[in-house]
Amino acid sequence: MNIEKINDGSNLTVKIIGRLDTTTAPELDNFMRENLEGITDLLLDFAELEYLSSAGLRVLLATQKTMNKQGKMVIKNVNETIMEVFDITGFVDILTIE
């Protein structure tokens, strides 16, 4: 997994490339903990996310909880496979997906 970020003041765009699974989820979790301070608008770009496991879902849920306190989080460019994971798990009701 690769993480690319664009920080524009209180706006942060994070592009996640590859697989978000048990091996890579801790890396994303650490990244989020280190980069969310002062952020009010978080955009996650999933255009190149290939796979999402339950470990990745936990990181997204934790990030959503953080952003609920300080702003908003939006996920964009979700492919059919990842959207199916969100549908099955009920995350479509928790996350803002555009």
Side-chain angles (χ1 to χ4, degrees), residues 2-63:
N2 290 321
I3 302 170
E4 296 177 0
K5 74 173 183 175
I6 300 169
N7 194 332
D8 182 19
S10 62
N11 299 321
L12 178 64
T13 299
V14 178
K15 186 173 189 176
I16 302 170
I17 302 164
R19 297 173 57 89
L20 180 51
D21 55 25
T22 305
T23 306
T24 59
E27 179 184 346
L28 181 61
D29 191 38
N30 289 336
F31 174 87
M32 291 300 183
R33 291 173 194 260
E34 294 170 359
N35 288 278
L36 291 183
E37 188 174 329
I39 299 300
T40 57
D41 290 293
L42 174 63
L43 171 66
L44 299 178
D45 184 348
F46 281 8
E48 296 183 57
L49 182 65
E50 300 165 1
Y51 176 80
L52 177 64
S53 75
S54 59
L57 289 172
R58 281 193 297 278
V59 175
L60 294 178
L61 185 59
T63 302

